[in-house]
Amino acid sequence: NSGSTWFWAQLAYSDRFQTTLERMAASPKNAAAEFKRSWMDDWVAVGEANEKRRALAGGAQPFGLPEELAKERGDLALGQSITELSFFWGRGLSWNDFVHLLLKTTTGVDSLHVLGDPVPSWLEGKVWLSVHSVVTGTPSKEARLSTSFGQAARYHDSLAERYGDALPVYLPAKHSIVFGSGASAVAPYPYFAPSSMATHGRSLNYRGTNMFGARRWDEQSAPLEQLGASVEAASGALPISGVAAASSAVAGGVCLSSSASSITDALSSQLTPWAALALPGGSMFSAGTSCHLDLEDKGVSRGRLRICARSGVAGVVDGGYTEGSGVAQAVASGAGEVVAVVNDLVSISGLFQRRSGSSETLGIPRLHLPIFAEWYGESLFEDAQHLWIPEGSEFLKQFMVATVRGTTIKNDLFGVEAGRNVTLRVVYVKTDLQIGMLSDYAGYGGLAQEIALCMLSKANAEVMAGWFLRFV
């Protein structure tokens, strides 16, 4: 789920990344240097090379001065972030481009790699669930496919015509693949939970306007259950970078917010990945992007809106908009015991009952869709064990393991039935490092090294033997 999809995409499909991890494991004391040399240096070089090309070409450098000042003051994290932002500003700030370039540059996983590709023997036959959320919208909070002066193209869930704003604006979804099953493989699990499709004929209603509303058109997609079946049938041919971009699109929900969309439009950014759910796997993401760009570049018309509707174009965004840990989809797929590695406990709290429900920031909703009957609180972590953090650790602040038990409640959006007993093995790693921006990139390798040294410490031998070795 979310950014962890990047890790799995590289672990499963990149020999280069596997070698990096093996070298880090073989020499934990040198893990930070190995990660920097084998992964991070390649990523940082992308932005630096772009800066040199712009300087030689004499092009505009809107972030040049702030970047130089940050580095002169010794704020490497801010300087690196500005370099990264400057690079993607120049490329249109497309989230698809960002993820594609990251995977290709650091580990060689490019747009030609698909979910059904060969994997290491230890992964063959295992199932990968890549969790995300499909933006469906409601009449009062429609998804914006394209908006510009005097014209717009939007869509919403047809079921909302009956239930209105009581209907969620996202549907939980997942790509799934049996590792190593080939490009023609069919998904082993449904894309949408069958129970979320209880009303047959549920679809997406598209609305286009031009000339300040003087011209209006309405189109409708195929039923969502049919779109889901189309995605499932082409699972093995789905581009890995597209799947990873959808699962990790942390800002993808901007398409539901007029204020946030105005900001991204002004920056010429494309933070919502678009997928043509009705089209074959190999073209699903590229065709969705093309439909969106045609509306942006050529204007809203009946013909272009109809192509979007017939292609089933929808925003596909971070799984965290519906559930941040990925546990709900694992439980829905039959798991009775789940190991969840998290860097915050908010994602775990979303699985349980809590006083704070769904929320909204800058007009972008984030849903609370619990699957367990128990209330979230300290009592859930009564048996938690805290590993000793070695002295001198700079990035690792807390390392906790806990066994948490829950009883499921009925949740049709995920397809979870009531009354099942589930055991969660929670691994919580706390750090001050952020997801990319405003963090010194060298810190990620340092964190990996500190985690490894923590786990190898004699002071933690008992916890390691009693907790982690059960999974070996």
Side-chain angles (χ1 to χ4, degrees), residues 172-237:
K174 60 183 176 295
H175 294 299
S176 60
I177 190 71
V178 176
F179 278 126
S181 55
S184 62
V186 175
Y189 291 99
Y191 183 67
F192 295 121
S195 53
S196 71
M197 301 290 105
T199 302
H200 295 287
R202 184 179 188 178
S203 59
L204 299 177
N205 288 347
Y206 296 79
R207 180 168 59 91
T209 59
N210 207 329
M211 298 179 66
F212 300 95
R215 305 180 71 180
R216 303 174 63 91
W217 309 280
D218 293 290
E219 298 288 344
Q220 191 172 53
S221 74
L224 287 179
E225 57 188 332
Q226 183 177 325
L227 296 180
S230 176
V231 176
E232 295 159 22
S235 182

Side-chain angles (χ1 to χ4, degrees), residues 11 14-40 42 106 445 448-449 452-453 456:
L11 178 63
S14 171
D15 293 337
R16 177 173 153 192
F17 188 65
Q18 294 158 29
T19 299
T20 296
L21 293 184
E22 289 167 358
R23 287 174 176 166
M24 292 171 69
S27 181
K29 291 183 178 180
N30 298 309
E34 177 62 36
F35 183 74
K36 179 180 182 299
R37 182 189 68 81
S38 301
W39 199 98
M40 190 56 72
D42 290 333
T106 58
Q449 177 170 309
L453 294 177
L456 290 171

Side-chain angles (χ1 to χ4, degrees), residues 54-373:
R54 280 193 322 183
L56 289 172
Q61 300 184 54
F63 297 99
L65 181 58
E67 178 186 341
E68 291 176 9
L69 289 174
K71 291 180 178 178
E72 285 177 3
R73 293 177 57 188
D75 194 337
L76 184 60
L78 179 58
Q80 289 172 334
S81 296
I82 293 173
T83 298
E84 184 179 49
L85 180 60
S86 175
F87 174 63
F88 286 99
W89 181 298
R91 294 173 65 92
L93 278 175
S94 162
W95 185 253
N96 280 330
D97 285 346
F98 177 90
V99 175
H100 168 71
L101 190 63
L102 180 142
L103 295 179
K104 180 181 178 180
T105 302
T106 58
T107 55
V109 177
D110 60 25
S111 58
L112 299 179
H113 284 80
V114 297
L115 292 188
D117 277 355
V119 295
S121 58
W122 62 271
L123 266 179
E124 288 181 354
K126 294 181 173 64
V127 175
W128 183 25
L129 306 180
S130 180
V131 176
H132 58 281
S133 310
V134 174
V135 182
T136 49
T138 63
S140 66
K141 191 173 277 295
E142 291 185 301
R144 291 166 169 78
L145 259 172
S146 174
T147 53
S148 59
F149 188 66
Q151 57 183 344
R154 302 179 176 90
Y155 71 86
H156 63 263
D157 190 332
S158 67
L159 199 58
E161 305 286 355
R162 183 186 307 174
Y163 295 102
D165 292 334
L167 207 66
V169 293
Y170 310 105
L171 272 180
K174 60 183 176 295
H175 294 299
S176 60
I177 190 71
V178 176
F179 278 126
S181 55
S184 62
V186 175
Y189 291 99
Y191 183 67
F192 295 121
S195 53
S196 71
M197 301 290 105
T199 302
H200 295 287
R202 184 179 188 178
S203 59
L204 299 177
N205 288 347
Y206 296 79
R207 180 168 59 91
T209 59
N210 207 329
M211 298 179 66
F212 300 95
R215 305 180 71 180
R216 303 174 63 91
W217 309 280
D218 293 290
E219 298 288 344
Q220 191 172 53
S221 74
L224 287 179
E225 57 188 332
Q226 183 177 325
L227 296 180
S230 176
V231 176
E232 295 159 22
S235 182
L238 290 170
I240 295 165
S241 60
V243 169
S247 182
S248 61
V250 64
V254 297
C255 65
L256 287 167
S257 168
S258 57
S259 56
S261 291
S262 298
I263 296 172
T264 56
D265 288 346
L267 295 175
S268 299
S269 58
Q270 302 165 35
L271 300 183
T272 304
W274 300 99
L277 303 179
L279 299 185
S283 62
M284 189 175 83
F285 297 107
S286 59
T289 300
S290 293
C291 284
H292 164 69
L293 291 178
D294 277 351
L295 290 169
E296 292 277 287
D297 298 339
K298 300 176 183 178
V300 179
S301 68
R302 180 188 296 277
R304 295 186 192 102
L305 189 71
R306 181 169 295 166
I307 290 174
C308 288
R310 290 181 176 178
S311 302
V313 174
V316 284
V317 300
D318 199 305
Y321 283 105
T322 48
E323 194 275 295
S325 70
V327 169
Q329 291 284 17
V331 171
S333 299
E337 181 176 7
V338 182
V339 179
V341 182
V342 298
N343 64 344
D344 68 62
L345 293 176
V346 174
S347 56
I348 298 298
S349 75
L351 298 165
F352 294 87
Q353 309 299 314
R354 66 186 188 194
R355 287 184 173 82
S356 58
S358 299
S359 60
E360 191 168 296
T361 303
L362 292 175
I364 304 172
R366 190 172 292 268
L367 306 184
H368 176 222
L369 304 171
I371 64 168
F372 293 125

